[in-house]
């Protein structure tokens, strides 16, 4: 089968699409025939060597939508099930940017019935990151939340999920994105002029760090999206960062929110798997609203 990998680190040109063996599922695993797989900034980080793995063949891709093609023992999934899943891992021989991928059964959820596979492939990584970051904040309905990078994939899901929970959101984004973030449910908009200590919590999807921490009231909460990269606590503000985990049960809840119209799945462009390097180059240009999706 064909798969996108890197064997040396660098720019988009480091991405190779090569022939590899079709993986076999073990116990409590399933093999998914990939219909679509999103490209995320973490893939660019892997490609650049941010997470190590020099000298190895490293597969790319975390998100997948497709059809169960084979199962190991001790799984409730059946061949033919249409599913989505998160294939967690920075340095792995194969990722979801491939014709087939093997994942643990508890990372899998039924695919949403209201969207196609290309859109479904944008859900797992970014929506799980958003909901798990909101969980860290432990906000009650009515608490005020500022989301940085609110027009991005994680930020956009965070806005929608928080608004659904009855949490009024101030969206921080570029001026030209105000209409977009308000359509996602933001109650307020800012392009960067925020009073210190003015909100109960910040979800820092744009990785602003200490400047965003200053916007949280004394005793509030701050959640980042890069593990161990959150700013140190000050003024009694509780700080933390989400390390996304594969959670099929939670992913199933997010799928139901897609089907209920609560979550919007945004696709910017699609590329053939063989065009993986081209997709990486487009990601590097920035300004993408929605996800780039690879189709084998």
């Amino acid at each position: 089968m064909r798969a996108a990998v890197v064997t040396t680190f660098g720019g988009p040109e480091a991405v190779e699409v090569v022939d590899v063996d079709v993986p076999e599922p073990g116990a409590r695993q399933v093999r998914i025939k990939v219909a679509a797989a999103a490209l995320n900034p973490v893939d660019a980080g892997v490609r650049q060597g941010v997470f190590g793995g020099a000298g190895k063949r490293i597969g790319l891709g975390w998100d997948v939508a497709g059809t169960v093609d084979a199962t190991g023992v001790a799984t409730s999934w059946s061949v033919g099930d249409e599913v989505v899943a998160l294939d967690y891992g920075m340095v792995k021989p194969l990722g979801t940017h491939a014709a087939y991928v093997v994942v643990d059964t508890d990372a899998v959820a039924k695919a949403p019935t209201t969207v196609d596979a290309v859109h479904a492939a944008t859900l797992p990584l970014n929506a799980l990151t958003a909901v798990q970051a909101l969980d860290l904040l432990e906000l009650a309905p009515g608490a005020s939340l500022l989301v940085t990078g609110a027009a991005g994939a994680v930020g956009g899901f965070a806005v929608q999920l928080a608004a659904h929970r009855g949490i009024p959101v101030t969206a921080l984004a570029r001026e030209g994105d105000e209409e977009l973030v308000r359509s996602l449910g933001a109650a307020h908009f800012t392009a960067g002029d925020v009073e210190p200590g003015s909100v109960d919590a910040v979800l820092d999807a744009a990785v602003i760090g200490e400047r965003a921490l200053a916007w949280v009231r004394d005793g509030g909460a701050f959640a980042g999206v890069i593990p161990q990269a959150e700013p140190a606590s000050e003024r009694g503000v509780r700080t933390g960062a989400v390390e996304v985990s594969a959670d099929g049960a939670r992913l199933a809840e997010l799928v139901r929110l897609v089907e209920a119209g609560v979550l919007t799945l945004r696709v910017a462009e699609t590329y053939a798997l063989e065009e993986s390097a081209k997709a990486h180059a487009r990601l590097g240009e920035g300004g993408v609203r929605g996800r780039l999706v690879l189709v084998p």
Side-chain angles (χ1 to χ4, degrees), residues 114-180:
T114 52
V115 298
D116 60 20
V118 170
H119 284 79
T122 68
L123 181 69
L125 175 60
N126 294 290
L128 282 169
T129 299
V131 76
Q132 291 171 9
L134 284 172
D135 291 346
L136 282 180
L137 294 173
E138 300 179 335
L139 298 178
S144 58
L145 172 67
L146 188 145
V147 176
T148 73
V154 173
F157 283 134
V159 170
Q160 291 189 304
L161 289 164
H164 182 64
R165 295 181 180 186
I167 297 167
V169 177
T170 297
L172 174 64
R174 298 175 184 174
E175 293 281 2
D177 288 321
E178 179 174 1
E179 182 179 350
L180 168 62

Side-chain angles (χ1 to χ4, degrees), residues 44-87:
V46 171
R47 184 199 77 221
Q48 293 161 349
V50 172
F51 307 106
K56 298 180 180 179
R57 184 192 75 190
I58 305 172
L60 300 169
W62 292 47
D63 286 312
V64 61
T67 305
V68 174
D69 164 77
T71 65
V73 297
T75 173
S76 59
W77 296 101
S78 301
V79 171
D81 286 341
E82 295 184 359
V83 296
V84 289
L86 174 64
D87 181 24

Side-chain angles (χ1 to χ4, degrees), residues 88-104:
Y88 176 90
M90 307 291 183
V91 180
K92 53 196 176 185
L94 289 173
T96 63
H97 296 172
Y100 296 88
V101 65
V102 168
V103 298
D104 293 340

Side-chain angles (χ1 to χ4, degrees), residues 132-140 143-148 167-168 170 194 197-205 209-225 230-242:
Q132 291 171 9
L134 284 172
D135 291 346
L136 282 180
L137 294 173
E138 300 179 335
L139 298 178
S144 58
L145 172 67
L146 188 145
V147 176
T148 73
I167 297 167
T170 297
V194 184
S198 60
V199 294
D200 294 319
V202 163
L203 195 161
D204 188 22
E210 291 183 0
R211 184 162 66 94
L213 178 64
W215 301 331
V216 182
R217 65 164 174 81
D218 294 359
F222 174 102
V225 296
E230 70 274 15
S233 175
E234 60 180 46
R235 298 177 292 105
V237 176
R238 178 169 47 85
T239 64
V242 64

Side-chain angles (χ1 to χ4, degrees), residues 28 30 34 39 83 109 113 172 190 213-214 265-267 281 291 295:
R28 298 191 55 77
V30 299
V34 178
L39 174 65
V83 296
T113 58
L172 174 64
T190 180
L213 178 64
L265 304 181
R266 296 179 286 152
V267 174
R291 275 288 168 251
V295 180

